[in-house]
Amino acid sequence: MQASDRFNINSQLEHLQAKYVGTGHADLTRFEWAVNIQRDSYASYVGHYPMLAYFAIAENESIIGRERYNFMQKMLLPCGLPPEREDD
């Protein structure tokens, strides 16, 4: 692998990290990473009707729209409030 290849790969990675929030970066905290994972999961559940129906049946909800609403509400704070930042 040549130096130009490494530079190209790193620039592509930086481009992806800037374009898509969930790909992460070096300064990403554990809490931010967990929030991204949870939001991606909830968005997938809402977007796939069979999965949404499965969750509605599992939670004994008669209306799938209610389950969709619950998932969308959970997307606001999926992991609770962020921890206090320690300023260095």
Side-chain angles (χ1 to χ4, degrees), residues 4-69:
S4 62
D5 293 338
R6 273 191 235 122
F7 176 74
N8 190 18
I9 290 170
N10 286 335
S11 66
Q12 288 176 358
L13 183 60
E14 288 174 5
H15 174 72
L16 284 175
Q17 289 171 344
K19 188 174 181 181
Y20 301 108
V21 176
T23 55
H25 51 81
D27 297 329
L28 192 68
T29 65
R30 183 176 181 171
F31 177 79
E32 291 169 336
W33 178 80
V35 166
N36 285 338
I37 296 297
Q38 287 292 328
R39 284 188 177 150
D40 286 346
S41 297
Y42 289 138
S44 178
Y45 302 155
V46 169
H48 293 91
Y49 186 82
M51 198 69 167
L52 196 59
Y54 174 79
F55 281 113
I57 291 170
E59 294 182 6
N60 202 18
E61 288 284 343
S62 61
I63 302 172
I64 294 175
R66 168 58 66 183
E67 195 64 28
R68 178 180 285 122
Y69 175 78

Side-chain angles (χ1 to χ4, degrees), residues 64-81:
I64 294 175
R66 168 58 66 183
E67 195 64 28
R68 178 180 285 122
Y69 175 78
N70 289 340
F71 281 143
M72 292 177 82
Q73 289 298 314
K74 289 179 183 178
M75 286 175 73
L76 295 175
L77 289 173
C79 298
L81 295 173

